[in-house]
Amino acid sequence: MEKSKRKSAQHHAKENSWLCDVSVFSVAVFSYLNGSNGDFVHDDIPAVTLNKDVSAVNHVGRVFANDFWGTPMADLDSHKSYRPLTTITFRVNYLIFGFNPLWFHLTNILLHAIACILFTRVTLYVAGLKPKFATLSGLLFAVHPVHTEAVTGIVGRADVLACVFFLTSILAYHGSGESKHYTWLSTISGGLSMLAKETGVTVFLLNLVHDFYLHWPSLKRTLSEMRWNRESIQVARRSSRILTSLGVLLALRLAILQGSLPKFSQQDNPAAFHPSIHVRFLTFCYLAAFNWWLLICPSTLSHDWQMGSIPLVTSVNDSRNALTVFCFAILFLLTLKSLSDFEDQKHTPVVLGLCLLVLPFLPATNLFVTVGFVVAERVLYIPSLGYILLVAYGIQLLWENQIAHRQTLLTFTILLLVSGCLRSLARNRDWRSRETLLRAGLMMLPHNAKMHYNYANFLRDSTRMELAKSHYYTALRLWPSYASAHNNLGTLLNDVSEAEEHFLAAIRHSSDHVNAHYNLGRLYRKYNRTSESENMLRKCVSLEPKFTLAYVELIKLLGIENPSIILLLQNALNSNPSDPYYGIQLANWSIKTGNYLRALNFYWRSLQGSPHHQKAISGVAKLLKKIGQKSRLFQLLTRWHSIQRIRIGELHSNRDIYLQEWYIRNELKSKAKVYDDRDYYSYEKNTAISSITKSKNLAFDDGSRDIPKGFKNMSNSEDDGFQKMKSHTPLTVYSWRDSVKN
């Protein structure tokens, strides 16, 4: 009976499907379009703008080896969130439009509109809602305010993209009629959903459960008669494919974890670190109920729910347990209704809605692994499908059974849509900038220590230091062991003893806090507490070998004349190959010891990491002059001058080249045989002109039009060091120029 109703609904829907799709698409775009003028905020900055996988600094292959934040999965500090498909979409956005947030937002809105259309089709073809109520479900999903973090927050694309493939997988498996199941297409879509965000893996379980539900009569007959029938065999084959695919994907996912799980702190998820199992159980149950309550009443929305936003439930007498009992009672009744419907199969939307509500939410319940959040609204993007399906089906039942109250029901439905749309539009404005988002968060959760900390960071960046101190103090009052708040407050204090106290407190609460060690070492150096400063800075370097600032402070503290500085500089250079500072310092040290060849090599190494670094180029020029390499010095000068002109779009004049070449040539005419027995005129001229001609097609990202300081007014004297260098300094030594073509 129910199957025939679904077929009838599907046939009737084909006539008006395009009109439904246009309506749902338009409402989805309208509800979030005012959020497209927002900036990169909150998690968008580390996951997008600072992510080298997104900015194409890393090779595209690294996307599949790094986590969502650009950290190698093998790294102990990795978040272990593996979402390469989402990262690739960010990378495509960047390659086409650069870091223009408008296009990132528009992509999110487009994906959300697509998800709304797909959900409408799932409710129509799979759940069997009537066309107008299927359209209603798509509209309710389009305007639900809890989706603002997923849609308006750029990082939320992971959830939206995962939802698109999640729904595609359901449609491929169940939406093509009773006899058609595109199992492999469903499996591929499920795998892509998993690559967009980890929760996508639950679609395999959902497809299996719903398949068993739809074919339960045949399966039951097989179990009772102990004999396979055709329908049961087909279900078994599909199940084996799905379970095999799921097993392979889970095995690959575990392998990608590199043998370790992500590490979270107490401030990320306080309940997970509480020693009492009684407190953990009550709190986790309440958090699940609270998440579902946000779907029912999304009046309190925040981008961050950590650190005291939701206090632990420590007693059964806590009034919040009433919400837990209420939500789980409804869940229990829905479960009973679904199990009983396996026999009757009259309420397919209830079964599918319950599966959509519960299964995608399981990874966030702390049942299987500890998660790094208390509440995250974007995590509710896929589970909200189940809630909205249940609401739309409830409205359909009331519409059919309460004919006398249809006007009231229609009014209620319109109010639900309008209020949801208005709340979404208002919430989108909170995501316009870092300041508006933090202000909205403080208004909603004034007892959130992390919110005060983040707002204090914003005030510090805005040079409102006194107000920043006030919010740091508030954050510490709410969360006394907040190490980062201690550290940041210490950097703003003029009182040396108080600043030292806060730095020490940060180290006491977090022994591996790199910034606190660095700041304390810097404070000690400033007040001539040399040994204490050195201990702190060396500890900082041991904690984070690539911490550039700590090396700089150590070099200042020990002095360039200290013999131990060499090993320190070499370690720093190996840890920071792209930072030219250390190579230059090593080159200067080598010059002082008379090892010009090694100095030149260090200069070249610095230029490979930073081709336009003026101190490195100036050092090379001085060294070439010192050892008598005038011809190569001339090449360096003319190439640098040409490069700067090309960078700003000027055409290089051959007259300038010939004037410079004539000057150097006349200067060296009397000493030409020292460099080469061949005709110096033609050799040097061809070399200089050829190198500059080749450089005309190069483009550079940085640099200055003027010749660097130290290049002008150089003396013309030669040095005996040239005889040492002649056999070791080939004319191709300027290969640094070719390394910056792009």
Side-chain angles (χ1 to χ4, degrees):
M1 183 68 176
E2 186 67 21
K3 293 180 181 178
S4 62
K5 286 184 178 180
R6 279 203 307 271
K7 288 182 179 180
S8 176
Q10 292 173 9
H11 177 73
H12 181 68
K14 290 181 180 179
E15 301 177 1
N16 298 320
S17 61
W18 69 270
L19 184 59
C20 296
D21 291 346
V22 170
S23 301
V24 171
F25 185 92
S26 301
V27 172
V29 171
F30 174 78
S31 298
Y32 288 94
L33 193 59
N34 72 320
S36 61
N37 61 349
D39 202 352
F40 293 103
V41 295
H42 194 42
D43 288 341
D44 301 342
I45 297 172
V48 180
T49 59
L50 299 180
N51 191 338
K52 293 181 180 179
D53 291 336
V54 175
S55 59
V57 173
N58 291 341
H59 187 272
V60 67
R62 293 299 306 167
V63 174
F64 297 93
N66 295 343
D67 65 16
F68 187 53
W69 312 92
T71 305
M73 291 292 289
D75 197 310
L76 293 177
D77 296 327
S78 171
H79 194 269
K80 305 298 182 181
S81 50
Y82 189 68
R83 304 161 193 173
L85 186 60
T86 305
T87 303
I88 287 175
T89 64
F90 289 146
R91 189 182 181 107
V92 171
N93 271 139
Y94 167 76
L95 292 175
I96 298 175
F97 304 109
F99 281 127
N100 185 342
L102 172 65
W103 296 102
F104 285 84
H105 284 296
L106 291 178
T107 304
N108 277 25
I109 294 171
L110 177 62
L111 289 172
H112 173 61
I114 293 172
C116 294
I117 293 174
L118 291 173
F119 178 53
T120 303
R121 293 179 177 272
V122 166
T123 59
L124 181 62
Y125 298 125
V126 182
L129 291 185
K130 292 185 177 180
K132 58 184 177 183
F133 295 100
T135 304
L136 173 62
S137 65
L139 294 174
L140 288 172
F141 184 76
V143 303
H144 201 296
V146 83
H147 297 157
T148 50
E149 183 176 4
V151 182
T152 311
I154 294 172
V155 166
R157 182 181 301 179
D159 296 87
V160 182
L161 189 61
C163 184
V164 169
F165 289 110
F166 192 99
L167 294 170
T168 303
S169 178
I170 296 174
L171 284 171
Y173 198 99
H174 302 289
S176 302
E178 294 298 324
S179 60
K180 292 183 180 179
H181 296 273
Y182 298 102
T183 311
W184 291 118
L185 177 59
S186 175
T187 301
I188 293 172
S189 298
L192 292 174
S193 180
M194 186 179 175
L195 291 177
K197 190 170 183 179
E198 295 81 356
T199 51
V201 72
T202 57
V203 74
F204 294 98
L205 298 177
L206 187 145
N207 283 333
L208 281 178
V209 172
H210 197 63
D211 201 10
F212 272 81
Y213 164 75
L214 293 176
H215 300 91
W216 175 247
S218 298
L219 294 172
K220 183 180 179 182
R221 190 165 58 252
T222 297
L223 292 174
S224 62
E225 297 177 358
M226 298 298 292
R227 186 176 63 185
W228 288 96
N229 55 54
R230 185 179 174 217
E231 194 171 351
S232 298
I233 292 174
Q234 290 177 344
V235 172
R237 287 176 178 173
R238 290 196 296 272
S239 300
S240 63
R241 293 172 188 169
I242 293 296
L243 290 174
T244 302
S245 302
L246 177 61
V248 171
L249 289 173
L250 288 177
L252 290 174
R253 184 66 180 86
L254 290 174
I256 290 170
L257 284 175
Q258 302 285 336
S260 63
L261 293 174
K263 296 180 180 180
F264 300 112
S265 63
Q266 185 180 2
Q267 69 185 45
D268 297 323
N269 190 347
F273 291 86
H274 199 279
S276 172
I277 189 173
H278 169 75
V279 173
R280 292 201 301 272
F281 175 77
L282 290 176
T283 303
F284 287 148
C285 288
Y286 172 72
L287 290 176
F290 183 79
N291 275 279
W292 290 328
W293 178 253
L294 285 178
L295 296 176
I296 301 171
C297 183
S299 58
T300 303
L301 299 176
S302 173
H303 68 283
D304 198 323
W305 292 84
Q306 293 181 345
M307 303 189 70
S309 298
I310 301 180
L312 300 178
V313 181
T314 58
S315 170
V316 292
N317 296 323
D318 195 313
S319 60
R320 292 176 292 172
N321 288 321
L323 177 63
T324 304
V325 173
F326 171 74
C327 288
F328 277 90
I330 294 177
L331 187 64
F332 178 73
L333 293 175
L334 288 172
T335 303
L336 288 180
K337 182 65 176 176
S338 299
L339 292 175
S340 65
D341 199 57
F342 268 64
E343 296 291 342
D344 301 332
Q345 301 216 339
K346 294 181 179 179
H347 301 284
T348 302
V350 175
V351 178
L352 183 60
L354 182 63
C355 291
L356 284 169
L357 178 64
V358 174
L359 293 179
F361 187 72
L362 285 177
T365 59
N366 291 276
L367 289 176
F368 304 103
V369 293
T370 300
V371 297
F373 56 86
V374 178
V375 175
E377 293 162 15
R378 59 177 178 254
V379 171
L380 296 174
Y381 190 82
I382 296 179
S384 67
L385 298 169
Y387 163 74
I388 290 170
L389 176 55
L390 292 171
V391 170
Y393 183 57
I395 293 174
Q396 176 178 309
L397 292 178
L398 290 174
W399 185 268
E400 293 174 346
N401 298 321
Q402 301 293 328
I403 299 176
H405 299 91
R406 283 186 174 182
Q407 192 66 34
T408 303
L409 188 60
L410 180 61
T411 303
F412 169 77
T413 303
I414 293 174
L415 286 175
L416 192 63
L417 287 171
V418 172
S419 61
C421 183
L422 293 177
R423 182 72 178 97
S424 296
L425 291 171
R427 180 61 178 156
N428 289 336
R429 291 197 293 268
D430 294 339
W431 287 84
R432 285 179 300 180
S433 66
R434 181 184 177 192
E435 182 176 11
T436 57
L437 186 63
L438 290 170
R439 285 183 178 275
L442 282 174
M443 187 178 298
M444 288 293 177
L445 302 172
H447 52 286
N448 184 328
K450 190 175 180 182
M451 204 75 73
H452 286 278
Y453 167 77
N454 285 332
Y455 190 56
N457 289 341
F458 167 76
L459 293 170
R460 181 194 60 188
D461 296 341
S462 304
T463 66
R464 289 179 274 179
M465 301 304 180
E466 294 303 318
L467 192 55
K469 291 179 188 177
S470 173
H471 282 277
Y472 281 132
Y473 281 122
T474 303
L476 290 173
R477 177 176 56 80
L478 295 170
W479 197 276
S481 61
Y482 202 165
S484 294
H486 278 294
N487 173 73
N488 289 10
L489 177 59
T491 62
L492 299 182
L493 296 174
N494 295 322
D495 189 316
V496 177
S497 60
E498 187 180 0
E500 180 185 7
E501 180 182 343
H502 281 288
F503 292 141
L504 289 172
I507 295 172
R508 184 169 61 254
H509 294 302
S510 178
S511 59
D512 58 351
H513 201 291
V514 177
N515 289 335
H517 284 92
Y518 166 74
N519 287 326
L520 190 56
R522 193 166 177 265
L523 182 70
Y524 287 154
R525 185 184 74 83
K526 184 177 180 181
Y527 291 95
N528 298 320
R529 298 166 64 172
T530 306
S531 60
E532 294 170 289
S533 176
E534 183 177 355
N535 289 336
M536 283 295 164
L537 292 172
R538 289 193 181 278
K539 177 66 174 178
C540 179
V541 169
S542 66
L543 290 172
E544 180 49 71
K546 295 185 179 181
F547 195 3
T548 301
L549 295 176
Y551 287 109
V552 174
E553 286 297 320
L554 269 173
I555 292 168
K556 291 179 181 178
L557 178 68
L558 299 176
I560 196 67
E561 303 297 334
N562 193 316
S564 65
I565 207 71
I566 292 298
L567 181 60
L568 186 66
L569 284 170
Q570 288 177 339
N571 291 337
L573 182 60
N574 293 332
S575 301
N576 302 272
S578 61
D579 192 334
Y581 175 83
Y582 309 108
I584 293 172
Q585 295 296 331
L586 282 166
N588 293 340
W589 178 273
S590 300
I591 291 174
K592 288 182 179 181
T593 59
N595 194 333
Y596 298 143
L597 176 59
R598 187 171 68 174
L600 193 59
N601 288 333
F602 281 127
Y603 279 133
W604 297 144
R605 187 168 176 180
S606 297
L607 286 170
Q608 286 175 356
S610 182
H612 297 283
H613 198 277
Q614 292 193 4
K615 286 188 177 180
I617 294 174
S618 178
V620 171
K622 290 178 180 179
L623 183 57
L624 291 175
K625 182 205 71 170
K626 185 177 183 65
I627 63 179
Q629 293 281 302
K630 296 292 178 59
S631 63
R632 289 164 175 78
L633 174 58
F634 163 67
Q635 289 179 345
L636 180 68
L637 290 173
T638 52
R639 290 179 187 184
W640 173 262
H641 191 62
S642 301
I643 288 168
Q644 304 318 307
R645 288 195 170 189
I646 293 168
R647 187 187 65 83
I648 62 175
E650 288 188 4
L651 295 176
H652 199 91
S653 171
N654 287 336
R655 179 188 60 186
D656 296 336
I657 298 173
Y658 279 109
L659 286 174
Q660 293 179 49
E661 189 272 338
W662 176 82
Y663 176 78
I664 296 294
R665 184 183 62 187
N666 283 323
E667 178 184 347
L668 300 177
K669 183 176 180 180
S670 60
K671 302 175 182 179
K673 290 188 178 181
V674 177
Y675 295 95
D676 202 328
D677 292 331
R678 294 172 296 177
D679 182 11
Y680 173 75
Y681 278 73
S682 60
Y683 178 77
E684 191 66 17
K685 176 179 176 180
N686 292 337
T687 302
I689 301 302
S690 174
S691 63
I692 294 174
T693 303
K694 292 179 181 178
S695 70
K696 286 186 178 181
N697 295 324
L698 302 184
F700 296 84
D701 297 328
D702 195 10
S704 171
R705 178 181 177 180
D706 299 325
I707 296 176
K709 184 179 179 181
F711 275 31
K712 300 178 181 180
N713 302 322
M714 291 185 176
S715 64
N716 298 326
S717 60
E718 292 191 35
D719 195 288
D720 293 336
F722 164 72
Q723 297 299 331
K724 302 177 184 178
M725 296 292 297
K726 185 175 180 181
S727 60
H728 299 289
T729 312
L731 203 59
T732 57
V733 77
Y734 298 101
S735 60
W736 64 273
R737 181 179 62 86
D738 298 323
S739 68
V740 293
K741 290 184 179 179
N742 296 319

